Amino acid sequence: DTAVSQTPKYLVTQMGNDKSIKCEQNLGHDTMYWYKQDSKKFLKIMFSYNNKELIINETVPNRFSPKSPDKAHLNLHINSLELGDSAVYFCASSQDAGNTKQYFGPGTRLTVT
Amino acid sequence: DQQVKQNSPSLSVQEGRISILNCDYTNSMFDYFLWYKKYPAEGPTFLISISSIKDKNEDGRFTVFLNKSAKHLSLHIVPSQPGDSAVYFCAARNSGNTPLVFGKGTRLSVIA
């Protein structure tokens, strides 16, 4: 019954590795998002996809590549991981791009050592 | 450049009393404001919102007040309950498909 799910919940990896985080929503929403919550607790938008099309890209390094195989899934692939990538990453969805009521997943805590 | 500021990192309130969480913003183009609540190890959940054309919106125990001239909004919870203990995020956005901008959050502890 989970509306927005993310896997894995925890991810510990070494610098330089490539990793992916998966996100799925079963709400039938058109729009999905990736947020990063860093050590200072700010929750910042990274990407937004509407019907599999990228609509927001907030100056994120191109080591981060979102992929939306269908509108229920938005995966995040990160190449050449750096220490500064350590954070909690939240996936979210909303009915459409203009809808501010967003439903968040439980988060993925990424630790880069 | 914090466009949405929550200057109190934490707040403690006794059960049954009123909790008031504050939020200030700098961008006068923001026209929609939201509060999200977050429990540990969970994602934020939507709580209540307000459009810039209103100055108050109420939903049960939760009321959001907006003072556009002061660029300030507040969330009132009354009466506060122990289950309200969580981190509360204020968020805002411009019109159109613009991203939400979040504050750093305020941790509310409701003491029984």
Side-chain angles (χ1 to χ4, degrees), chain A residues 6 14 25 39 41 55 58 76-77 79 88 94 98 106 110:
Chain A
Q6 295 178 229
Q14 290 188 322
Q25 54 97 1
S39 57
K41 304 301 180 188
I55 56 171
E58 288 289 307
L76 184 64
H77 188 76
N79 288 329
V88 181
S94 63
L110 171 65

Side-chain angles (χ1 to χ4, degrees), chain B residues 12-19 61 77-85 109-112:
Chain B
S12 285
V13 172
Q14 279 208 307
E15 182 179 6
R17 298 284 181 101
I18 185 171
S19 296
R61 296 185 297 113
I77 307 173
V78 56
S80 302
Q81 299 173 354
D84 296 329
S85 297
S109 300
V110 179
I111 304 158

Side-chain angles (χ1 to χ4, degrees), chain A residues 5 16 40-42 44 73 77 84 96 102 110-111:
Chain A
S5 59
K40 295 181 181 176
K41 304 301 180 188
F42 280 108
K44 289 185 180 175
H73 295 84
H77 188 76
D96 52 55
Q102 296 179 12
L110 171 65
T111 303

Side-chain angles (χ1 to χ4, degrees), chain A residues 9-10 35 37 40-43 45 55-56 58 90 97-107, chain B residues 2 4 32 34 36 38 41-46 49 89 93 96-104:
Chain A
K9 197 166 175 64
Y10 299 96
Y35 285 86
Q37 186 180 31
K40 295 181 181 176
K41 304 301 180 188
F42 280 108
L43 196 60
I45 184 78
I55 56 171
I56 294 174
E58 288 289 307
F90 288 99
N99 194 319
T100 47
K101 185 175 178 180
Q102 296 179 12
Y103 294 77
F104 283 79
Chain B
Q2 293 181 53
V4 177
Y32 204 82
L34 306 91
Y36 279 80
K38 184 183 179 305
E42 294 183 13
T45 54
F46 171 79
S49 62
F89 289 96
R93 56 161 262 189
N97 299 339
T98 54
L100 289 180
V101 179
F102 283 83
K104 282 178 72 169

